[in-house]
Amino acid sequence: PQLLNLNHADAVFDGFTCSNVYHSIANHYVLHGAVIVNAGTMRNCRIANNANGGGGGVHLLGGLVHNCLIETNAADWANNGVGGGVHMTGGTLSNCLVVANWGDTGGGIYMTAGTVTHCTFSNNWAAAYYGPTTQGGGGVDMRGGRLLNCLVNRNRLTSVGGYQGGGVRLET
């Protein structure tokens, strides 16, 4: 289970640490993130040391995640492997530091929709050991949405052959 499922437009989750949430049973493709944000605001939080399916730390579907530290989270292949720090399908991620996360694709963030603004993605990596050659994006794997005024540095791929984008992988 997730540690938090934020699902009301007026809800505010402020100043908490969410850590050490692990899904240890293989093939949990539906288990995404220690924290799920569907609506509302999560701000001034630390999301760290979690290992889950898509979005090891945060699964952002709607709402706002603001001024958070998202670090040392993982999404591995047995659990879907997309978005070590964040799996984003909607909402807004702003003014966040996303650092030292890993996933099979999109080490820092795997995004298909939504807006990311004024964030830093640093020292994340994609470790695509198996699967399609459409994986990559050590810092950012962007399949849709908007990435605005962000810093992407010192991200990397740890696999070779067909994998793309040590910093950013953009698919249009």
Side-chain angles (χ1 to χ4, degrees):
Q2 283 70 35
L3 184 62
L4 171 70
N5 188 339
L6 194 60
N7 198 23
H8 191 282
D10 295 330
V12 176
F13 190 71
D14 190 354
F16 289 89
T17 295
C18 301
S19 62
N20 301 314
V21 175
Y22 300 96
H23 291 294
S24 61
I25 300 171
N27 297 319
H28 276 266
Y29 296 103
V30 297
L31 298 176
H32 294 288
V35 174
I36 295 178
V37 180
N38 286 294
T41 300
M42 182 174 73
R43 63 182 180 218
N44 305 315
C45 292
R46 179 177 176 253
I47 312 301
N49 304 318
N50 301 291
N52 299 289
V58 177
H59 190 182
L60 180 57
L61 295 97
L64 171 66
V65 175
H66 176 73
N67 201 39
C68 292
L69 172 60
I70 302 168
E71 64 175 338
T72 61
N73 299 288
D76 64 32
W77 182 252
N79 289 326
N80 203 13
V82 297
V86 180
H87 181 185
M88 183 174 186
T89 58
T92 301
L93 184 74
S94 71
N95 198 42
C96 292
L97 177 60
V98 182
V99 61
N101 301 284
W102 73 269
D104 287 324
T105 187
I109 185 171
Y110 176 89
M111 61 185 297
T112 59
T115 300
V116 178
T117 182
H118 296 95
C119 292
T120 298
F121 297 90
S122 184
N123 294 310
N124 300 288
W125 66 96
Y129 297 112
Y130 306 104
T133 57
T134 57
Q135 292 179 318
V140 177
D141 189 337
M142 185 174 175
R143 312 284 173 119
R146 300 184 312 158
L147 186 66
L148 306 169
N149 300 309
C150 293
L151 175 64
V152 180
N153 71 332
R154 298 184 180 181
N155 299 283
R156 64 193 179 278
L157 297 174
T158 60
S159 299
V160 295
Y163 304 106
Q164 306 157 342
V168 177
R169 180 186 181 279
L170 175 63
E171 182 175 303
T172 58

